[in-house]
Amino acid sequence: MKKYAVLLLSILFMNQLNAKEYLVKSPSERLTVKVTVDEDVRYTIFLDDKVIIAASPISLTLENEVLGKNAKVRKDKIVSVNEEIIPVVARKNAKIPDVYNQLTLSFKDYNLHFRTYDEGVAYRWEVTAKGPLKVMNEQATFTFPTDLKVWFPEEESMFSHQERSYLDVKLSEITPERFASTGLLVSCNNNVKVYISESDLITDYAGMFLKGSAENPFRLEGKFAGVVLEEEQRTDRDVAPLKYADYIAELEGPKSFPWRAMIISDDDKQLVESELIYKLAPENVLENTDWIKPGKVAWDWWNALNVYGVDFKSGVNNTTYKYYIDFAAKYGLDYIILDEGWYHLEDIMKMQDEIDVQELVDYGKDKGVGVILWVVWKALDDKLTEALDQFEAWGVNGIKIDFMQRDDQWMVNFYEKIARECAKRKLLVDYHGAYKPAGLERMYPNVISYEGLKGMENCKWSELPDPEHNVTLPFIRMVAGPMDYTPGAMLNANKENFRDIFEAPMAPGTRCHQLAMYVVFESPLQMLSDNPSNYYSEPEAMEFLKEVPTVWDETRVLEAKVGDYILTARRKGETWYVGAMTDWSPRSLELDLSFLPDGNFTMQVWKDGVNADRHAADFKQEKQTVTRSSKIKIDMAPGGGWAAIISKN
């Protein structure tokens, strides 16, 4: 027995001697990644020399080889990059610093890359050999040193819109049978948060979910849909997988696989400010992008075309949509959407009798308002070339494509195909019924926004999203990229008197909670979801909504705590826009205006009224002169908000 123990210790000692360790630090040196290579590959992440991600094994299983198992490093190299990205369509900033150190470990026929930014870490596999590849599985693990809180967007199926609530669970409660869509947020000690998602999910792979681990209760593991072998079309929009293959993807090498990204911060504000997912994405491939125009949209579906005070019968007809166009023109909105109902659901080429898209496009052009068409993905794919050519001939500006509900290899490729084919015809793309952004919008900047969240449409049939959910989204879902939440409700309710009414919807939280969303929530294509009749009745609210941009030159998150509150300032040109939101707790914050340049500024304010805790639509307007030395007290009612426009005198 003693001889056996000595032999075992000898083997362990020899393995340690054979193990190779490689270190790469972030530019500020706060983050360090240690990569250990012996019988497997493991990475460990340190923040200020404290372990944040404990040793986590990773590998990529091909049909005849496991990358990362018993591998020999042939070459290691670290490069430092200090560049600047100028996005075609800005979100947070018109210029994005791209500063990182990258470690590349080269093996026979493949590489493993680790990038360290000051805001986080990412790694990816790269197969350098040519030829067919079948990816059987990917071992992507994220091991934490202890049991921690997780904001867990749990899924019941991989056939999903990924419109989830964020459950408050412990790592140890996430069994191997439980899984969530990404991104996902973990709360570590000392206010450190770790956000996990992916980037460069463009072609020939499946999206990553995260599940519990059978080996370690404090570990999360990647979960991927197999290639779909059988599917069933149940309705015009639901094409459900019935049988998955036991492999993730079939493709041709060489191939770079998606980045596994971890944003690591001890300040919640930095989660919202991060652009890591965008920086990891492929560069723009479109030569001509002058036609890509962000903007605000008058949207019909949420308000059920329920206009009033008019002398025509409202509904899916050209007269009603001209009313929306007139409204958009009056307030400088860039587009209207024709949502569900404009075409016969069984055939995308058959318009309803009372709809003439060409007439609406021509009417909108005369008034400076474009038209975007909602389509079900399957109906579009059935007649893709014919339909897109018709949209281009009409002069339509884009499509809102809906109900994909999958991120297996075929569907990921479909996203790229739609982006590419629409770009050829100068069409914007807004993905609904979709997975989260994962880099496609940088490669194809005509991809203007995504759903992939529990947004305000849910208020038509449920009590969510509520203010607590709303002040969680910026720290998780919005970190991935643009989110088409569809704000703008003019019927506002406190917790006690909210009702879900499908044809006449309201939203929980105050009027100013809604207005603040236009600053806090990012979407280059931003909806005004309520109906024009309600907006006409609220001219003070429209004073704000007609002015607020949808893309920004600079963003500063001033105060923030996940699930509790957020205070954001964004600049467009010389004008600053400020938005604050709170959960169901009343809250006071201080707005420090030291980010302003020298000089006097006029600040227009929309704030919760004194009775907003009882009547959520109650708000007050104020105007005052401020300077960079001003400090403004912000008081918010339960579910409240605060919004301001600060312009130079």
Side-chain angles (χ1 to χ4, degrees):
M1 189 67 184
K2 289 182 180 179
K3 290 182 179 179
Y4 176 77
V6 170
L7 178 62
L8 182 61
L9 287 171
S10 299
I11 292 172
L12 290 172
F13 181 69
M14 291 302 296
N15 283 342
Q16 288 175 349
L17 287 178
N18 292 330
K20 294 291 184 74
E21 291 185 352
Y22 305 86
L23 297 179
V24 58
K25 292 179 176 288
S26 65
S28 70
E29 300 192 350
R30 286 198 71 196
L31 283 171
T32 303
V33 179
K34 180 178 73 175
V35 184
T36 304
V37 181
D38 47 20
E39 68 272 7
D40 61 7
V41 175
R42 302 178 302 282
Y43 72 95
T44 307
I45 301 177
F46 304 84
L47 175 64
D48 296 332
D49 298 324
K50 295 179 181 178
V51 174
I52 299 300
I53 301 290
S56 300
I58 55 175
S59 63
L60 189 70
T61 302
L62 306 181
E63 193 169 24
N64 300 311
E65 182 183 8
V66 181
L67 310 188
K69 294 294 183 183
N70 300 311
K72 303 295 183 184
V73 176
R74 295 188 168 191
K75 182 180 179 182
D76 63 281
K77 181 180 180 181
I78 293 179
V79 297
S80 297
V81 173
N82 188 339
E83 297 178 344
E84 186 176 68
I85 299 169
I86 308 296
V88 174
V89 178
R91 281 170 37 226
K92 298 176 173 68
N93 301 288
K95 298 178 180 180
I96 305 172
D98 192 25
V99 184
Y100 61 88
N101 297 322
Q102 178 167 302
L103 166 68
T104 297
L105 301 179
S106 297
F107 305 85
K108 182 183 178 182
D109 296 331
Y110 68 94
N111 297 321
L112 177 59
H113 305 283
F114 278 87
R115 278 192 192 176
T116 54
Y117 295 79
D118 286 341
E119 62 196 297
V121 172
Y123 75 86
R124 78 184 317 172
W125 297 95
E126 177 194 15
V127 174
T128 56
K130 294 182 179 179
L133 297 172
K134 181 181 282 189
V135 180
M136 307 304 295
N137 190 32
E138 178 182 349
Q139 181 188 32
T141 69
F142 309 86
T143 309
F144 293 87
T146 186
D147 203 6
L148 300 170
K149 171 182 174 175
V150 182
W151 283 269
F152 194 64
E154 187 162 19
E155 300 279 1
E156 289 81 41
S157 167
M158 286 187 286
F159 181 53
S160 168
H161 293 95
Q162 299 193 11
E163 300 177 11
R164 316 308 295 175
S165 301
Y166 296 100
L167 305 181
D168 183 350
V169 302
K170 290 282 192 179
L171 283 166
S172 59
E173 297 172 329
I174 305 171
T175 62
E177 295 73 35
R178 298 181 71 180
F179 67 98
S181 44
T182 53
L184 174 150
L185 189 65
V186 180
S187 179
C188 305
N189 298 320
N190 300 318
N191 203 42
V192 174
K193 307 289 193 309
V194 178
Y195 168 88
I196 305 172
S197 193
E198 59 187 328
S199 186
D200 198 1
L201 177 64
I202 307 294
T203 56
D204 285 331
Y205 212 65
M208 182 175 70
F209 296 80
L210 289 170
K211 64 172 183 167
S213 168
E215 296 180 2
N216 187 328
F218 308 151
R219 175 180 291 171
L220 296 170
E221 298 180 350
K223 176 182 174 70
F224 305 87
V227 168
V228 176
L229 301 177
E230 296 178 16
E231 60 187 21
E232 178 184 34
Q233 183 165 355
R234 296 169 178 169
T235 66
D236 68 300
R237 58 203 60 187
D238 292 333
V239 182
L242 298 180
K243 183 179 180 182
Y244 292 103
D246 61 356
Y247 53 90
I248 296 171
E250 289 183 293
L251 58 141
E252 290 287 323
K255 169 70 174 177
S256 292
F257 292 89
W259 289 101
R260 307 295 164 222
M262 291 154 278
I263 298 171
I264 301 168
S265 176
D266 55 7
D267 187 339
D268 290 358
K269 297 193 291 290
Q270 295 170 357
L271 292 171
V272 187
E273 291 177 339
S274 173
E275 303 216 58
L276 181 61
I277 304 302
Y278 186 89
K279 288 188 283 193
L280 291 166
E283 295 182 3
N284 167 41
V285 297
L286 304 182
E287 293 183 7
N288 175 19
T289 58
D290 294 344
W291 56 274
I292 298 174
K293 183 182 177 184
K296 287 172 286 193
V297 188
W299 182 38
D300 58 338
W301 185 85
W302 191 77
N303 57 76
L305 295 157
N306 198 9
V307 303
Y308 54 89
V310 297
D311 57 3
F312 59 85
K313 192 71 173 174
S314 65
V316 181
N317 57 60
N318 270 30
T319 306
T320 301
Y321 281 116
K322 287 180 180 179
Y323 181 74
Y324 278 75
I325 290 172
D326 291 342
F327 162 73
K330 176 178 173 63
Y331 288 106
L333 310 185
D334 302 273
Y335 304 103
I336 70 160
I337 279 184
L338 273 63
D339 212 288
E340 183 168 0
W342 72 269
Y343 72 88
H344 289 270
L345 292 176
E346 72 278 4
D347 187 348
I348 199 170
M349 300 306 297
K350 292 182 180 179
M351 283 184 288
Q352 296 287 352
D353 291 342
E354 294 188 342
I355 290 292
D356 184 331
V357 174
Q358 186 68 72
E359 180 184 337
L360 292 174
V361 170
D362 293 342
Y363 186 81
K365 282 182 179 178
D366 288 342
K367 294 177 175 286
V369 178
V371 174
I372 294 171
L373 298 177
W374 172 90
V375 296
V376 170
W377 76 270
K378 185 65 170 68
L380 177 64
D381 194 45
D382 286 344
K383 296 186 175 181
L384 184 63
T385 301
E386 183 182 3
L388 292 182
D389 286 349
Q390 180 64 76
F391 298 169
E392 181 184 23
W394 280 332
V396 165
N397 297 89
I399 63 170
K400 173 184 172 181
I401 185 167
D402 208 348
F403 288 100
M404 288 77 70
Q405 305 176 78
R406 291 163 40 185
D407 63 357
D408 52 80
Q409 181 187 1
W410 187 94
M411 189 58 78
V412 168
N413 289 347
F414 177 76
Y415 274 58
E416 192 273 340
K417 179 173 70 172
I418 291 299
R420 173 173 24 93
E421 293 301 317
C422 284
K424 291 177 184 177
R425 298 163 176 86
K426 297 185 177 181
L427 296 171
L428 303 176
V429 183
D430 180 14
Y431 291 105
H432 270 238
Y435 58 82
K436 80 283 174 184
L440 186 62
E441 69 277 9
R442 182 179 177 192
M443 186 174 182
Y444 292 96
N446 62 311
V447 174
I448 201 79
S449 199
Y450 299 75
E451 194 180 29
L453 75 152
K454 190 182 287 293
M456 204 170 73
E457 68 174 16
N458 287 264
C459 294
K460 289 166 71 79
W461 57 80
S462 77
E463 294 182 356
L464 290 176
D466 67 359
E468 183 172 346
H469 179 81
N470 296 339
V471 293
T472 303
L473 289 172
F475 305 89
I476 306 179
R477 166 58 185 82
M478 200 173 80
V479 178
M483 60 178 201
D484 196 5
Y485 176 95
T486 68
M490 294 293 104
L491 298 178
N492 313 105
N494 59 26
K495 186 183 290 189
E496 290 73 29
N497 60 24
F498 173 81
R499 300 290 183 273
D500 54 287
I501 305 172
F502 193 87
E503 294 290 328
M506 64 186 74
T510 70
R511 171 70 53 79
C512 291
H513 189 82
Q514 289 287 315
L515 296 182
M517 290 178 181
Y518 288 86
V519 180
V520 174
F521 290 173
E522 294 162 9
S523 180
L525 197 70
Q526 190 68 277
M527 305 295 148
L528 271 69
S529 60
D530 219 321
N531 78 67
S533 303
N534 284 347
Y535 288 126
Y536 281 134
S537 300
E538 301 289 348
E540 297 86 359
M542 289 309 301
E543 288 179 35
F544 180 80
L545 294 179
K546 74 179 180 181
E547 296 294 338
V548 65
T550 66
V551 292
W552 310 95
D553 294 330
E554 183 180 354
T555 291
R556 301 193 185 196
V557 182
L558 306 175
E559 299 288 343
K561 185 177 180 182
V562 181
D564 287 346
Y565 58 87
I566 185 167
L567 171 60
T568 302
R570 302 188 193 262
R571 180 179 60 82
K572 183 68 173 177
E574 293 187 338
T575 303
W576 285 87
Y577 300 80
V578 182
M581 298 165 61
T582 184
D583 58 7
W584 281 124
S585 298
R587 201 175 302 276
S588 294
L589 300 174
E590 183 179 77
L591 171 61
D592 183 340
L593 293 177
S594 58
F595 58 83
L596 294 175
D598 291 333
N600 293 325
F601 290 78
T602 297
M603 183 172 72
Q604 296 174 275
V605 174
W606 290 256
K607 67 180 187 178
D608 291 335
V610 67
N611 292 307
D613 58 335
R614 300 179 61 189
H615 182 72
D618 185 31
F619 71 96
K620 183 179 180 181
Q621 282 183 286
E622 291 180 344
K623 183 180 289 188
Q624 63 187 102
T625 298
V626 297
T627 68
R628 66 189 316 271
S629 63
S630 300
K631 292 179 171 57
I632 310 298
K633 186 181 180 186
I634 295 174
D635 293 316
M636 292 181 284
W642 190 94
I645 300 175
I646 306 174
S647 52
K648 196 168 180 61
N649 286 350

